[in-house]
């Protein structure tokens, strides 16, 4: 009963994630996405075909479910898996669109002029409302919000999948406490490690591409003075822009990167060993 409730809750989570992603896709301009409708549909078709192949492979190969007294267990576990894969389609599309937008922005950023210098001073003035940099910075900040949303969505989906798997293991141990070796706790850890790798493959390149664009904005807006001697005003203005674009923290130390990679591992560790602690 507990596993069925958790499985149903996971399906609701996946449905909610899918609805959220579709709402973002409908209003991509609000999130800084710069892509045509044809490109969006191309990505949707590619993601749907790719995940459709995964679903077909799972159906053909079948899956070994544990011996748990749950009615229609194969259909229930299959429903959780299929709902997770379907929910992943729009989020994959958003990640690809964000990467495409970062590539477009890199060319645009390279053509931006530096911030005009103050008369009689080598330091750079502030970014005014009519500056061409302002539009790019606003788009970069919107893309950052989308990036954070994508990372959070993937982490929520991964946590739901790991908790569902762990609950299934707990149900198996409750029915067969003497057969724990058939469904060891390390399997849940491997499950979390797999998702951690997938989350890193999907999210880290996007974070890195966004940071390259942001670094290009900063370097173009505040290039090194001709004499190689930056003034205090130049350093202060450049530092403010770096902080605005989240460049004051390195990629490896960025909480977003750690959240994307470590959350699946921590969740799987807790999900794997808490049932054992309760039994002991």
């Amino acid at each position: 009963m507990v596993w069925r409730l958790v499985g149903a809750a996971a399906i609701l989570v996946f449905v909610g994630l899918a609805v959220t992603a579709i709402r973002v896709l409908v209003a991509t301009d609000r999130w800084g996405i710069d892509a045509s409708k044809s490109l969006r549909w191309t990505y949707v078709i590619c993601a749907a075909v790719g995940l459709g192949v995964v679903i077909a492979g799972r159906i053909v190969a079948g899956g070994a479910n544990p011996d748990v007294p749950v009615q229609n267990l194969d259909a229930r576990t299959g429903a959780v898996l299929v709902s997770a894969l379907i929910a992943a389609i729009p989020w994959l599309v958003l990640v690809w669109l964000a990467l495409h937008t970062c590539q477009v922005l890199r060319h645009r950023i390279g053509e931006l002029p530096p911030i005009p210098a103050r008369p009689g001073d080598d330091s750079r003035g502030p970014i005014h409302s009519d500056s061409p940099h302002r539009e790019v910075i606003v788009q970069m900040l919107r893309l950052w919000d989308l990036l954070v949303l994508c990372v959070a969505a993937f982490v929520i989906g991964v946590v739901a999948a790991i908790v569902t798997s762990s609950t299934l293991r707990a149900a198996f141990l409750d029915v067969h406490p003497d057969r724990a070796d058939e469904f060891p706790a390390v399997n849940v850890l491997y499950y979390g490690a797999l998702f951690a790798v997938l989350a890193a493959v999907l999210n880290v390149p996007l974070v890195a591409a966004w940071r390259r664009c942001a670094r290009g904005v900063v370097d173009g807006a505040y290039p090194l003075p001709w004499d190689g001697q930056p003034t205090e005003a130049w350093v202060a203005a450049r530092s403010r822009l770096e902080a605005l674009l989240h460049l004051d923290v390195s990629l490896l130390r960025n909480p977003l990167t750690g959240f994307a990679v470590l959350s699946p591992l921590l969740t799987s560790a807790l999900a794997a060993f808490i049932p054992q602690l309760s039994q002991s």
Side-chain angles (χ1 to χ4, degrees), residues 7 10-12 14-15 18 55 77-89:
I11 292 176
L12 291 178
F14 296 140
V15 170
I55 294 175
T77 54
V80 175
L81 176 62
V82 170
S83 62
L85 293 177
I86 292 176
I89 291 176

Side-chain angles (χ1 to χ4, degrees), residues 47 51 88-89 91-99 147 150-151 153-155 158 194-209 260-261:
L51 294 178
I89 291 176
W91 289 106
L92 283 175
V93 173
L94 286 173
V95 170
W96 293 341
L97 289 174
L99 282 171
L147 193 154
C150 288
V151 171
F154 278 114
V155 170
V158 167
L194 174 62
F195 278 119
V197 172
L198 292 176
V201 169
L202 290 172
N203 294 308
V204 172
L206 177 55
V207 176
V261 176

Side-chain angles (χ1 to χ4, degrees), residues 66-87:
D67 181 16
V68 178
V70 175
Q71 205 171 25
N72 299 322
L73 182 61
D74 290 340
R76 294 175 186 273
T77 54
V80 175
L81 176 62
V82 170
S83 62
L85 293 177
I86 292 176

Side-chain angles (χ1 to χ4, degrees), residues 5 28 30 36 44 64 77 89-90 109 136 170 187 189 193 270 273:
L5 291 175
T28 51
R30 300 178 184 177
S36 61
V44 169
T77 54
I89 291 176
I109 291 169
V136 173
N187 285 8
L189 293 177
L270 291 174
F273 291 112

